[in-house]
Amino acid sequence: MTGRARQPLLDAISARFLREFGGPQPRLFFAPGRINLVGAHLDYNGGDVLPMAVDRGVYAAMRLRDDGRIRLRSLDQEQGFELATAAVPQRADPAFGWGNYPLGVWHGFRARTGRARGFDVVFGGDLPMASGLSSSAAIEVVTAIALDALLQTGMDRQQLALLAHRAENGYVGLRCGIMDQFASALARPGHVLWLHCAGPRYEHVPFDPQACEVLVMDTMKPRTLSKTHFNERVAQCATAHETLRAHVRDLPHLADYQPADLEAARSAMDDVLFRRARHVVTEMHRIATGVDALRHGDYQELGRQLDDSHRSTALDYEVSCRELDVITEVARGCDGVFGARLTGAGFGGCAIALIRPGIADAVAAHVGAAFEREFGVAAGFDLLHVGTGPGEVQSP
Ligand code: GLA
C-alpha cells in the first residue's frame, strides 16, 4: 500500500483541459482532503477539532475567460456544466449538481471583490468521493486558491477558507462548521491543525509519521440522507444550548459547558438532546487529552481518545452505523492499532485507524476478511500521510 504517483493524474487533467478548451496550458492548483483525529461534530458547536490534511485531494486546471462564460468539467463526473456568469444563481440549484461547489465559491468572490470574470476549469482528484474525507471542501478550497491566484485578489489563507466555507454553508446549504475548509486551506507539512472554531484561532501540532500512520477504511456504505441528518444534529445542539442557557448559565457555545452543567439541566431536556449535548461536552475533554498525547508523542493515548470518541459518536450522537462499528471494532483488535473511529460526519463512508508504521497490509487483510464475512462487501483500504498543504502545482 504505497502512495500513488500524482503525475499521471496531472497529465490526465491537463490533457482533458486542452482537448475540451484548447491551448494555452492552464495553471494547476491543489487542495487536500482531511481526516479528523478527534473532535467529532464540535466545529459548529464552538469547540475544538484536530484535523490532518492528507496527501490526497483535488486538483484544478484553470484559466480565465473574457467572454463572461463559466465552463466546469471533472474527470470523475460524466456531467459538465456551462453557463454565463450573469446566470450564476444566488443559491445552489440542483440542476448544477457538483458544479454548485465551484459556483458557490465564484459567487462569494464576486460578492467580496466585485470581480466577475468567467473561467474554464477541469477538476480531478485522488480522494474517494463523498466518503468522509472532505472532497467537497477540497473542491471549494482549490477553486478559491485558483481564483485568488488568477484574479490576483491577494487574500490570505484564512480569508479563502472562510469564503470556501460560505460556499458550502450559505450557498449549498449544509449547516457545517469551519473544520473542513480550514483543514484544507491552512494545512502545513508534517503537522495537524488544532483549530479552536469559536475564534477562530489555530495552531499547528507536529505529527510524527515514523511513529504513527493513518489507515483509512472505506465501508463503501453510501452516506444517504446525510445532509438531512447532519442538519438535524445541528438543530438539536442549538436547542440543547438554548436549554442550558435558560436553566443553568449563559455561555456562548454548547462546547463551553461542563458535565456538571448538563446534569443540572437534565430534567429540562429529553433524553435525545441530553445525549447529543453529552457527546459535545465530553468530546472537548477527549480532544484536550488527545492534543496533549500528540505533543508527547504518546500515540497509544491518542488512540484511546479515538476509540472513546467513536463510542460517543455512535451511542450519544448516533451518527455511526453497523458497518462503521464493525470495521473499527475489528481494527482495534489487531496488534499495533492505537485506535479507530469514524471520520467526517459519519452515517456511512470511511473510518480511520491509527497504526504502528509497517503493518497496514496485515491490518487491511484481517479487517477486510472479517468485514466481507459480515457484510458480503469488500471494504477499501488506503494508507494516508500528512500532506504538504494546498497551493499551485508547478508543471514538471
Ligand atoms: C462534516 C462537516 C464538518 C464537521 C464534520 C463532523 O465533515 O462538514 O464541518 O462538522 O462533519 O465533525
Side-chain angles (χ1 to χ4, degrees):
M1 220 176 287
T2 51
R4 291 174 212 160
R6 69 175 191 175
Q7 198 52 48
L9 177 58
L10 296 182
D11 292 345
I13 295 171
S14 296
R16 172 83 181 270
F17 190 100
L18 295 175
R19 198 168 67 241
E20 295 251 2
F21 305 135
Q25 283 283 351
R27 283 166 71 183
L28 265 171
F29 301 87
F30 171 73
R34 62 97 192 91
I35 53 107
N36 185 23
L37 292 173
V38 213
H41 291 268
L42 288 190
D43 56 353
Y44 54 84
N45 284 306
D48 292 2
V49 291
L50 193 62
M52 170 197 287
V54 296
D55 53 347
R56 306 284 181 78
V58 175
Y59 295 86
M62 193 187 278
R63 199 174 56 207
L64 295 176
R65 298 172 59 88
D66 289 322
D67 62 355
R69 292 200 69 74
I70 295 177
R71 301 192 288 182
L72 311 169
R73 302 284 186 273
S74 164
L75 289 192
D76 312 302
Q77 307 284 328
E78 293 255 307
Q79 204 179 3
F81 302 99
E82 296 197 19
L83 67 166
T85 51
V88 173
Q90 292 302 314
R91 286 261 178 286
D93 175 343
F96 290 118
W98 64 268
N100 283 305
Y101 298 113
L103 290 176
V105 173
W106 183 89
H107 187 265
F109 255 88
R110 186 182 55 187
R112 200 189 151 103
T113 66
R115 298 188 206 182
R117 277 183 71 184
F119 62 95
D120 289 331
V121 67
V122 174
F123 295 100
D126 51 6
L127 279 177
M129 299 302 274
S131 58
L133 301 186
S134 213
S135 51
S136 62
I139 295 179
E140 290 150 3
V141 171
V142 79
T143 306
I145 285 177
L147 285 174
D148 174 62
L150 295 175
L151 293 167
Q152 299 182 324
T153 38
M155 285 193 227
D156 67 29
R157 285 285 158 83
Q158 180 158 332
Q159 290 170 320
L160 294 173
L162 286 169
L163 213 137
H165 174 249
R166 269 197 293 279
E168 179 100 38
N169 197 294
Y171 196 84
V172 174
L174 182 76
R175 296 175 62 190
C176 62
I178 60 173
M179 171 172 74
D180 301 344
Q181 293 78 13
F182 270 64
S184 181
L186 294 161
R188 181 185 287 178
H191 290 74
V192 299
L193 187 75
W194 183 16
L195 178 61
H196 312 281
C197 302
R201 286 176 296 113
Y202 58 86
E203 50 199 285
H204 291 92
V205 184
F207 185 94
D208 181 3
Q210 308 298 324
C212 182
E213 290 183 338
V214 180
L215 181 67
V216 65
M217 311 184 287
D218 191 345
T219 64
M220 305 290 167
K221 178 161 183 205
R223 301 189 305 156
T224 40
L225 286 182
S226 62
K227 182 169 159 187
T228 318
H229 289 152
F230 187 95
N231 287 348
E232 181 188 84
R233 295 300 180 282
V234 178
Q236 288 168 337
C237 287
T239 310
H241 183 200
E242 278 309 307
T243 312
L244 281 158
R245 289 178 65 190
H247 287 85
V248 186
R249 50 184 176 143
D250 190 359
L251 297 177
H253 304 285
L254 181 57
D256 298 331
Y257 289 88
Q258 294 299 317
D261 297 320
L262 280 190
E263 286 306 329
R266 190 166 198 152
S267 58
M269 275 188 229
D270 69 22
D271 179 59
V272 170
L273 286 194
F274 179 79
R275 287 186 292 114
R276 301 295 186 259
R278 181 166 62 189
H279 165 72
V280 171
V281 167
T282 57
E283 187 78 350
M284 282 300 277
H285 289 270
R286 286 184 282 275
I287 196 160
T289 313
V291 170
D292 200 47
L294 191 55
R295 286 230 160 94
H296 291 93
D298 185 350
Y299 290 89
Q300 288 283 4
E301 181 59 54
L302 178 62
R304 273 194 288 278
Q305 301 312 312
L306 266 76
D307 293 345
D308 289 351
S309 171
H310 183 86
R311 283 183 201 111
S312 178
T313 40
L315 299 173
D316 275 353
Y317 219 65
E318 295 180 286
V319 294
S320 187
C321 57
R322 234 171 63 71
E323 287 84 348
L324 285 166
D325 291 345
V326 168
I327 213 162
T328 50
E329 189 60 42
V330 179
R332 274 179 216 120
C334 297
D335 242 14
V337 171
F338 300 129
R341 66 174 285 260
L342 60 82
T343 191
F347 312 107
C350 291
I352 51 164
L354 294 188
I355 61 172
R356 206 173 57 220
I359 64 167
D361 287 330
V363 175
H366 179 77
V367 177
F371 191 83
E372 189 151 3
R373 271 199 304 279
E374 184 79 20
F375 298 105
V377 170
F381 295 88
D382 230 327
L383 199 54
L384 299 180
H385 302 99
V386 194
T388 51
E392 182 156 8
V393 181
Q394 300 308 328
S395 298

